[in-house]
């Protein structure tokens, strides 16, 4: 029986229209703005590859499939997941997708130990407190594309429900490779060159993507629809792969883009988009010497 799911990405892929809303909700559909933790957020020193629910309701299969793995909280065979996912089930679906249902209570994990097929809505049981949930008995849900070996944001595959928490763009800073920091809107003039552009991180609200324009030209988009692994670290993707150390250099900042500012007058526009397509835009003017 498959115990460990290895994620070492070799390629990214683009979700097609046929894959949209491929899964049902693994718990009763909740308001989109009330998750405990979102895909792509910083969590425990890494980028969160899960969607963590708030309520402790019954857990059910998100689609037809086959149970191919059972992970036990204290299994000696599963060192990778032992201290993070707790008791968990892995279900294989069509299109090389797998779903992972983690933080189950012990009885729910035992009753699904046999490898069998499941239908959409098959009840797996209830949440426990067996994973890294800071005392919370909440479902931790993952979607994995085993063909392309990436984690997929579960929300892009499930029906939209309710509203989104409002995104904000605040305290935008440009940090040079030497560590010099300039606050956009306050510092109107600073050296030309290459900068990491950061915004103040929101603890809950999570952008689906961020796009930066310089003088009207789009220079980078960072998407949170999937995560890949590079050199043992989970990364999100823009013009290149960004590990947690660049994406979240501390608990207060989130990367918007890696940009190059040419000499002269520059107009920098920042667009943060939620999963429903609603955009928040902020524009700055500055001079680079």
């Amino acid at each position: 029986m498959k115990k460990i799911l290895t994620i070492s990405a070799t390629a990214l892929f683009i979700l097609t229209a046929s894959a949209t809303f491929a899964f049902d909700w693994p718990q009763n559909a909740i308001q989109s703005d009330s998750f405990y933790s979102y895909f792509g957020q910083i969590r425990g020193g890494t980028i969160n590859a899960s969607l963590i629910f708030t309520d402790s309701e019954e857990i059910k299969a998100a689609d037809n499939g086959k149970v191919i793995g059972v992970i036990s909280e204290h299994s000696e065979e599963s060192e990778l997941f032992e201290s993070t996912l707790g008791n968990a089930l892995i279900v294989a679906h069509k299109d090389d997708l797998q779903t992972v249902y983690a933080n189950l209570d012990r009885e729910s994990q035992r009753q699904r130990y046999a490898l069998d097929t499941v239908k959409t809505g098959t009840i797996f049981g209830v949440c426990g407190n067996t994973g890294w949930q800071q005392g919370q008995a909440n479902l931790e849900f993952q979607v994995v594309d085993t063909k392309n070996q990436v984690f997929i944001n579960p929300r892009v595959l499930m029906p939209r429900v309710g509203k989104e928490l409002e995104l904000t763009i605040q305290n935008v800073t440009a940090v040079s490779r030497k560590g010099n920091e300039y606050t956009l809107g306050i510092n109107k003039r600073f050296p030309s060159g290459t900068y990491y552009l950061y915004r103040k991180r929101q603890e809950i609200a999570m952008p689906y993507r961020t796009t930066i324009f310089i003088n009207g030209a789009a220079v980078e988009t960072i998407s949170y629809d999937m995560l890949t692994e590079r050199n043992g670290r989970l990364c999100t993707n823009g013009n290149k792969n960004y590990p947690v150390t660049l994406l979240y250099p501390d608990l207060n900042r989130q990367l918007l883009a890696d940009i190059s500012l040419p000499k002269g007058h520059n107009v920098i526009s920042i667009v943060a988009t939620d999963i429903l397509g609603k955009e928040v835009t902020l524009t700055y003017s500055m001079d680079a010497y």
Side-chain angles (χ1 to χ4, degrees), residues 121-143:
T122 297
I123 301 299
F124 289 145
V126 297
C127 301
N129 189 20
T130 58
W132 279 5
Q133 294 289 336
Q134 298 177 338
Q136 303 291 321
N138 301 334
L139 169 65
E140 181 168 350
F141 183 63
Q142 293 181 347
V143 179

Side-chain angles (χ1 to χ4, degrees), residues 169-174 181-190 197-198 261 266-268 270 282-287:
I169 305 173
Q170 296 180 336
N171 297 358
V172 178
T173 56
E181 186 172 318
Y182 304 91
T183 301
L184 272 64
I186 296 177
N187 300 111
K188 302 289 188 178
R189 189 170 183 269
F190 48 89
L197 200 63
Y198 291 98
L261 290 175
N266 292 288
V267 177
I268 303 172
I270 303 166
L282 202 58
T283 300
Y284 298 94
S285 294
M286 54 79 61
D287 294 304

